[in-house]
Amino acid sequence: MTTLIALANIGLSMTVTVLAIYTVRHYFFTLNRIFGRHRQPFVDIIQAEWPSLSVFVPAHNESKVIRDSLDALLTCDYPEGRLTIVPIDDRSVDDTRQILQEYAESYPGRIQPFLRDGGIPGKAAALAEAMERHPDEIFLIFDADYIPGIRLLKQLVAPFFDPEVGAVMGRVVPLNVGTSLLTRLLDLERAGGYQVDQQARMNLRLVPQYGGTVGGVRRIALENVGGWNLDALAEDTDLTVRLVLAGWEIVYQNRSECYEEVPESWESRIRQIKRWATGHNQALRRYVTALILNRGRLPAWKVIDGVLLLGVFAVPLLLLLGWTCTMILFYTGYRPAWGVITVLAISSFNTVGNFAAFFEVAAANRLDGSRERIRMLPFLFLSFLVSTFAVGRAALSRASWMKGRPVEWQKTERHRSTRPVRGEPTGGA
Amino acid sequence: MSRVNGSQSRRISEARNRGFRGGRIAPHRAMIGMPVSWTLLIDLVVLPSIFVVIMLLLLAPLMSGWRVFFEFIREPLGLPGVVASRVFEVGPYAVAIPYFTAPSAWPSMLHLQIGWLMTAVMASGSLYLRGRLLPVAYLFRFLAGLQFSAQLWFTFGSPPFAYDLPTYLNGLLVCGVVILVLSPFLVAFTFHIFDFLLWQKLMMGALVLSHLSVFLPLQAAVHAFVIYRASVLALPLLFFAFGVLLDMFVYVALYGWGMSWRSRGVLDAVDRRPPTILPRFPVNRLRPTPTPISTRVITPSSPPFARFARAGVNFIRELMAGERRRA
């Protein structure tokens, strides 16, 4: 029994230490975003010698949404002669391919679809093959449900005028916010993640994450780190870490907003977050040693932030350990040695520690001007609970930690109704 | 720009934010932030200190109020024993926190059977909650998991349990009092730093303190009633799920409401929220115009060839233009 209590004490101390680090990080990032100086390099440039650009739109059964995305890209203000839009159809079984062919005929030269019927499935493989066919200097990537604004391409390309920048990431904003409780909660979470987390990392010159969509990468940087990792379950996180290890800068442009559909059903959300967690943990397994050993001679704070970024989806496992240890200590009637100090520490940690994520989300939405939405804050507990269970299950899966899982297309369900064909009223807002 | 350190002078900074007819241009939500000023010192130190001092002064009468409430509610709840007090000391400060002395029994067979049944109902019922109710299913599973651990312990364990009702209640209320005294600093750190008006900051502090002052004894009374009736079998679930965690959510709810108040400050200058309804391509944006059919005929569809041809034509044009300029 004594050994069990000692082990539980060690486990709980470890958990509390890690959680305390994440708590401090939450508060520090939020305060930096509120009071810090914001870095948004070159975001105002509108006249320049723009580099040649390929915009990739990977699509797998995206007939419901791909038209809007392509129309939006076609009306962007990037110089026409320097822009090629490359929708990538990877084995779609719906009308996606016909739609792409129709657009290719209507906009010859500007839209050059890449149609895949074989090869390794998955986004990374599709992007790798498409990249080989387009010798442009910069690649931007948008998911098929994204609707970029008119100036977005220039805003995302502008940071590449700095030769040290290897990748750029924009802000993702949900467009179907009012659909359900889940979409409202995801809107709150996304605001916290981008408006606070990503921008604070950018301000502090840490590791803003390249998110795989509404972002881009420089060809030379990509080649320098060995191209796309075809067996990566989360090619974005994988690339982020490799770029950082190789010394490339990643820029987050908070001003460059792009609208996306967030999952409208909890089942779809669980699938999405499990996929993210599995991919993230795979990247953690692959790169955490390299980061800690610091072969790239990165600044210490960048290494720490990189490790914390990679470890974020492993936290639920730690929480599970912490709960187990707490229960062991509780049932065995273990009394902490420090009496009053322990009571103070536990009370403080329970309130301040648990509140950190809520603070971040509320601050982000206040900055966004979404005042009324903050009243939904207590309901975030439900979202956190579902995410913790889902991520915990993903973290326990073989795919997170073992090799050999085949990569496949993992799609988030689309909820938009199919758009009427050209010429018919669209009924947009 | 300042010649010394390259920073913008205040006048230039102000001029940049002036718009049509001298109106103020509100910054985009991506760029908005708040300046660090000396008033933060008031927000972070002075206001919470005032609240803490007031709270410490009011703590003794508040505890008397709790004691009166406990004595009033003890009989209607059917709790035996008396309302006792235990002194909680931190340094030179001491406060007598009241609690019930009602005994708590080791669960009987009936308690265990009802407990197992409720756990099973919660766990199996969660399997039928789908769609919009899925998060409720997860909540049920979480609660069922906690109760399952208690069921296991009390089914296979033997008395005495490490905690009895009086000790547990005293611990819960001690934690509550600590939270009560420290919460002004949490309010300051998370709410006062924003650009709210002074009365809003004072209001939020007062709201949190008064709500917790009423909520904590009510919570303790409910816990006492449940544990006395349902034995210590209910204690772990109440401790883990409806104890300090619930106190924290009281603050989250009030905080969420407070953060939605209009402040007339920097962050409230305009409504900068991203659009909520954007079902597809916005109608106020022109659709792309397809390339005319006549042009398509002479535009090669093969991308490399098209580029090569265009580059060739452009090269010849530039050559000819150069010749003309020279001539």
Side-chain angles (χ1 to χ4, degrees):
Chain A
M1 189 59 88
T2 318
T3 318
L4 185 68
I5 290 173
L7 285 174
N9 253 320
I10 293 167
L12 188 61
S13 309
M14 266 172 50
T15 309
V16 170
T17 308
V18 175
L19 291 181
I21 291 170
Y22 275 101
T23 300
V24 171
R25 174 178 173 262
H26 271 306
Y27 280 109
F28 184 55
F29 278 6
T30 311
L31 293 174
N32 175 274
R33 175 61 189 86
I34 296 169
F35 297 110
R37 191 174 172 183
H38 300 149
R39 289 180 63 224
Q40 307 207 2
F42 307 130
V43 73
D44 289 330
I45 293 179
I46 48 174
Q47 293 290 334
E49 185 67 29
W50 295 100
S52 62
L53 169 70
S54 285
V55 177
F56 295 133
V57 187
H60 178 69
N61 299 333
E62 299 282 11
S63 62
K64 286 184 180 177
V65 293
I66 190 93
R67 283 177 192 276
D68 291 324
S69 183
L70 293 179
D71 278 359
L73 283 167
L74 282 162
T75 50
C76 283
D77 66 351
Y78 205 81
E80 213 175 296
R82 309 261 168 128
L83 170 67
T84 314
I85 299 166
V86 187
I88 305 168
D89 174 53
D90 197 8
R91 286 163 263 221
S92 292
V93 291
D94 63 354
D95 292 340
T96 307
R97 189 161 288 200
Q98 285 78 358
I99 293 169
L100 298 189
Q101 281 165 344
E102 176 199 316
Y103 268 77
E105 283 171 19
S106 298
Y107 305 95
R110 295 173 70 190
I111 292 196
Q112 299 177 13
F114 171 45
L115 311 175
R116 290 184 90 216
D117 287 309
I120 303 168
K123 191 170 167 183
L127 286 171
E129 280 185 32
M131 203 182 88
E132 283 172 14
R133 292 158 192 258
H134 293 271
D136 298 293
E137 196 180 326
I138 307 291
F139 304 113
L140 292 185
I141 296 144
F142 289 90
D143 281 353
D145 61 322
Y146 282 59
I147 301 174
I150 291 170
R151 282 207 52 219
L152 191 75
L153 298 188
K154 280 186 176 176
Q155 284 176 354
L156 288 174
V157 170
F160 287 110
F161 287 127
D162 179 348
E164 291 185 6
V165 171
V168 167
M169 178 68 198
R171 179 178 173 184
V172 179
V173 180
L175 60 83
N176 50 341
V177 177
T179 311
S180 64
L181 175 68
L182 172 63
T183 57
R184 286 189 180 281
L185 297 179
L186 288 178
D187 172 56
L188 293 179
E189 278 185 31
R190 292 276 205 280
Y194 285 98
Q195 179 73 284
V196 170
D197 261 356
Q198 287 273 60
Q199 184 59 47
R201 284 199 200 105
M202 182 65 197
N203 295 344
L204 295 162
R205 297 177 188 274
L206 299 175
V207 186
Q209 192 186 356
Y210 163 69
T213 182
V214 197
V217 60
R218 189 192 294 275
R219 168 185 281 277
I220 301 170
L222 192 58
E223 287 171 352
N224 175 241
V225 298
W228 297 101
N229 224 341
L230 301 190
D231 64 343
L233 299 171
E235 84 293 342
D236 44 5
T237 313
D238 186 276
L239 183 62
T240 302
V241 186
R242 285 189 292 138
L243 285 172
V244 169
L245 283 170
W248 291 93
E249 289 291 325
I250 297 172
V251 165
Y252 169 67
Q253 288 284 41
N254 201 25
R255 178 70 183 81
S256 310
E257 295 173 353
C258 193
Y259 303 104
E260 66 147 0
E261 266 193 8
V262 288
E264 291 181 7
S265 70
W266 288 96
E267 288 83 358
S268 176
R269 168 65 180 163
I270 288 169
R271 280 194 295 276
Q272 184 189 53
I273 200 160
K274 279 169 89 171
R275 192 173 74 236
W276 290 352
T278 315
H280 225 82
N281 290 335
Q282 186 195 48
L284 173 69
R285 173 173 60 80
R286 284 182 175 170
Y287 303 114
V288 73
T289 317
L291 257 177
I292 292 169
L293 292 176
N294 197 6
R295 287 182 190 129
R297 294 186 183 165
L298 301 166
W301 57 86
K302 221 167 189 173
V303 173
I304 294 167
D305 186 52
V307 173
L308 290 176
L309 180 70
L310 282 178
V312 79
F313 282 102
V315 168
L317 269 188
L318 212 61
L319 269 178
L320 189 70
L321 173 73
W323 272 94
T324 311
C325 295
T326 308
M327 285 196 175
I328 291 169
L329 295 176
F330 173 78
Y331 283 117
T332 52
Y334 172 76
R335 313 261 171 194
W338 291 83
V340 175
I341 294 172
T342 312
V343 171
L344 286 172
I346 291 171
S347 305
S348 308
F349 187 76
N350 258 316
T351 43
V352 178
N354 287 326
F355 187 68
F358 293 95
F359 172 52
E360 181 182 297
V361 168
N365 281 276
R366 186 85 198 170
L367 290 165
D368 264 348
S370 313
R371 288 182 302 104
E372 290 91 344
R373 294 183 197 174
I374 310 176
R375 290 178 198 156
M376 304 289 293
L377 207 59
F379 291 96
L380 263 184
F381 169 70
L382 293 175
S383 180
F384 290 163
L385 189 66
V386 172
S387 297
T388 306
F389 271 92
V391 172
R393 279 172 65 183
L396 286 171
S397 71
R398 176 177 167 267
S400 275
W401 310 107
M402 310 290 278
K403 294 177 184 174
R405 183 179 187 268
V407 179
E408 55 193 29
W409 270 99
Q410 301 273 354
K411 261 182 63 64
T412 304
E413 188 187 342
R414 307 284 182 227
H415 302 278
R416 230 178 293 177
S417 57
T418 310
R419 202 185 92 180
V421 290
R422 191 176 300 281
E424 288 183 19
T426 56
Chain B
M1 303 285 272
S2 159
R3 287 183 188 174
V4 180
N5 56 15
S7 64
Q8 281 179 9
S9 76
R10 186 174 56 83
R11 289 173 67 185
I12 290 176
S13 179
E14 277 182 10
R16 286 191 68 183
N17 293 331
R18 288 289 160 208
F20 177 65
R21 288 185 177 177
R24 191 173 175 280
I25 303 171
H28 187 268
R29 55 182 167 270
M31 297 165 176
I32 202 161
M34 284 178 50
V36 180
S37 70
W38 62 271
T39 54
L40 265 181
L41 206 63
I42 296 178
D43 295 332
L44 290 176
V45 179
V46 179
L47 287 184
S49 301
I50 290 172
F51 272 113
V52 170
V53 169
I54 292 173
M55 201 62 236
L56 288 175
L57 289 174
L58 289 178
L59 215 48
L62 182 68
M63 292 305 114
S64 305
W66 286 10
R67 169 179 268 281
V68 171
F69 168 71
F70 284 159
E71 280 167 353
F72 170 75
I73 201 83
R74 190 181 62 78
E75 274 191 25
L77 290 180
L79 296 173
V82 292
V83 176
S85 290
R86 188 170 292 167
V87 176
F88 176 65
E89 283 179 273
V90 182
Y93 198 83
V95 61
I97 300 173
Y99 61 97
F100 298 108
T101 57
S104 50
W106 183 264
S108 65
M109 188 50 77
L110 181 67
H111 285 134
L112 284 171
Q113 283 169 348
I114 293 172
W116 279 117
L117 186 69
M118 284 178 67
T119 311
V121 167
M122 254 196 300
S124 55
S126 75
L127 299 175
Y128 292 97
L129 295 172
R130 299 209 172 272
R132 286 186 307 157
L133 294 174
L134 197 64
V136 182
Y138 277 82
L139 186 62
F140 277 9
R141 281 172 213 171
F142 171 66
L143 297 176
L146 286 176
Q147 187 55 36
F148 181 73
S149 69
Q151 293 293 138
L152 279 183
W153 182 265
F154 290 110
T155 304
F156 299 106
S158 54
F161 187 44
Y163 313 90
D164 55 7
L165 182 55
T167 328
Y168 167 72
L169 280 182
N170 189 249
L172 181 74
L173 287 167
V174 165
C175 270
V177 168
V178 170
I179 290 170
L180 201 60
V181 175
L182 292 181
S183 59
F185 283 102
L186 185 64
V187 175
F189 199 58
T190 57
F191 186 80
H192 291 177
I193 56 168
F194 291 97
D195 57 347
F196 290 105
L197 302 170
L198 181 64
W199 72 264
Q200 290 173 320
K201 292 175 184 176
L202 294 173
M203 172 103 153
M204 175 49 80
L207 263 176
V208 171
L209 291 180
S210 49
H211 197 291
L212 282 174
S213 299
V214 175
F215 178 78
L216 288 169
L218 284 169
Q219 183 190 31
V222 171
H223 281 211
F225 176 74
V226 174
I227 293 169
Y228 177 68
R229 296 282 168 190
S231 79
V232 282
L233 184 64
L235 195 149
L237 183 66
L238 289 174
F239 172 73
F240 283 115
F242 300 102
V244 181
L245 196 65
L246 196 62
D247 301 345
M248 201 271 295
F249 272 94
V250 170
Y251 180 59
V252 171
L254 288 172
Y255 179 75
W257 180 43
M259 285 290 279
S260 73
W261 293 343
R262 271 214 173 282
S263 66
R264 296 188 205 151
V266 182
L267 299 185
D268 209 17
V270 280
D271 211 355
R272 301 173 311 279
R273 73 175 71 178
T276 46
I277 304 166
L278 193 73
R280 53 178 80 254
F281 193 85
V283 286
N284 58 358
R285 188 164 153 188
L286 287 174
R287 288 261 173 204
T289 315
T291 310
I293 300 289
S294 55
T295 315
R296 283 188 220 174
V297 175
I298 58 166
T299 307
S301 56
S302 162
F305 178 66
R307 284 171 182 227
F308 184 71
R310 271 205 299 273
V313 169
N314 287 341
F315 180 66
I316 292 165
R317 275 184 189 160
E318 277 177 27
L319 265 183
M320 289 170 71
E323 288 292 331
R324 273 201 296 272
R325 276 199 295 275
R326 273 198 291 277

